[in-house]
Amino acid sequence: MKRKLFLRTLVCFLFGVAFAFAMTLYHCVSAKPTRCEKISCGKILFDGEIQMFETLECGEEQEFIENDNDIKVYSKKVSLTKQFKKRVKENIYDVKAEIRQEFTFVYDKVDRAEISPENISSEVTITNWKISPLTAISIDDGICSVSNQYRVYDKNFIGNFQYMCDGYFEIFCDSNGEIGISSDVR
């Protein structure tokens, strides 16, 4: 009897230790910082006739040496996609316009963050809808931001573009490589 009780206690103890070890290992693995992050959100316009979706994806940090002064710097690529969809049937939407932009920020983890116009690329789909983006870069106190205002137009039956809506987004990068966004969707 004592032997069965001892074996049960030992098995329960070993099971508990194994479970605690597995949970500790799980929390340690899940607590590692993420290297790549993708966030999506959306907004409904005109009483559900138009949906606007925005997806932001941050890439991994890259390390390199600047050729000018042999200083270690870092870069991070950020991709942003905005889609405009129009309702064609109940709960069925077609993509009418899309803009994809990539931004490559450079920073030094001390006091500098920057981006040059060459490190911004844009791709706009060509359909009956038209998106016209306007991009501006500003750098202040170790924070670099890229502001983008846009307008969306729909081609009417005689071929002229009519204004539909406008919006904005602003992507920030500080000298430590932290990325932030402010937009009309968020």
Side-chain angles (χ1 to χ4, degrees):
M1 181 76 156
K2 287 184 180 182
R3 187 172 187 184
K4 284 184 180 180
L5 181 62
F6 175 74
L7 286 175
R8 284 184 192 164
T9 306
L10 181 62
V11 169
C12 289
F13 175 76
L14 291 176
F15 179 77
V17 169
F19 181 76
F21 177 75
M23 291 308 295
T24 303
L25 183 62
Y26 171 76
H27 286 295
C28 288
V29 169
S30 65
K32 289 182 181 176
T34 57
R35 300 179 132 210
C36 189
E37 188 172 347
K38 186 174 183 176
I39 302 169
S40 297
C41 58
K43 182 178 179 180
I44 296 174
L45 306 171
F46 305 114
D47 293 328
E49 289 299 313
I50 296 176
Q51 293 180 346
M52 181 173 32
F53 289 97
E54 182 177 272
T55 303
L56 178 73
E57 189 169 356
C58 295
E60 294 181 19
E61 178 176 87
Q62 303 293 322
E63 182 180 315
F64 61 96
I65 303 293
E66 275 187 332
N67 293 335
D68 299 345
N69 47 13
D70 293 332
I71 295 177
K72 187 188 307 185
V73 294
Y74 306 87
S75 70
K76 191 176 284 188
K77 187 177 284 191
V78 179
S79 300
L80 183 94
T81 303
K82 274 195 181 261
Q83 287 183 331
F84 297 88
K85 298 180 178 186
K86 186 173 182 178
R87 182 179 3 201
V88 291
K89 292 181 185 175
E90 187 66 31
N91 294 327
I92 298 175
Y93 291 81
D94 279 346
V95 176
K96 294 295 185 178
E98 181 178 88
I99 181 170
R100 292 181 182 192
Q101 291 189 297
E102 284 190 355
F103 310 93
T104 304
F105 292 97
V106 176
Y107 50 94
D108 65 358
K109 294 192 178 186
V110 178
D111 62 355
R112 185 183 90 177
E114 63 188 25
I115 192 168
S116 62
E118 299 86 35
N119 289 333
I120 300 173
S121 64
S122 296
E123 181 182 324
V124 179
T125 59
I126 298 179
T127 62
N128 283 343
W129 288 27
K130 178 181 177 182
I131 300 176
S132 61
L134 176 63
T135 303
I137 299 170
S138 64
I139 300 171
D140 188 30
D141 291 333
I143 298 175
C144 177
S145 66
V146 179
S147 301
N148 198 340
Q149 297 178 355
Y150 58 88
R151 290 192 171 188
V152 180
Y153 300 91
D154 183 14
K155 190 182 280 189
N156 63 16
F157 65 94
I158 60 173
N160 294 333
F161 285 101
Q162 293 178 313
Y163 169 79
M164 297 219 20
C165 61
D166 57 17
Y168 74 94
F169 64 84
E170 189 166 8
I171 296 179
F172 310 90
C173 180
D174 69 7
S175 59
N176 290 318
E178 297 294 322
I179 303 293
I181 185 169
S182 173
S183 76
D184 54 338
V185 177
R186 297 176 192 276

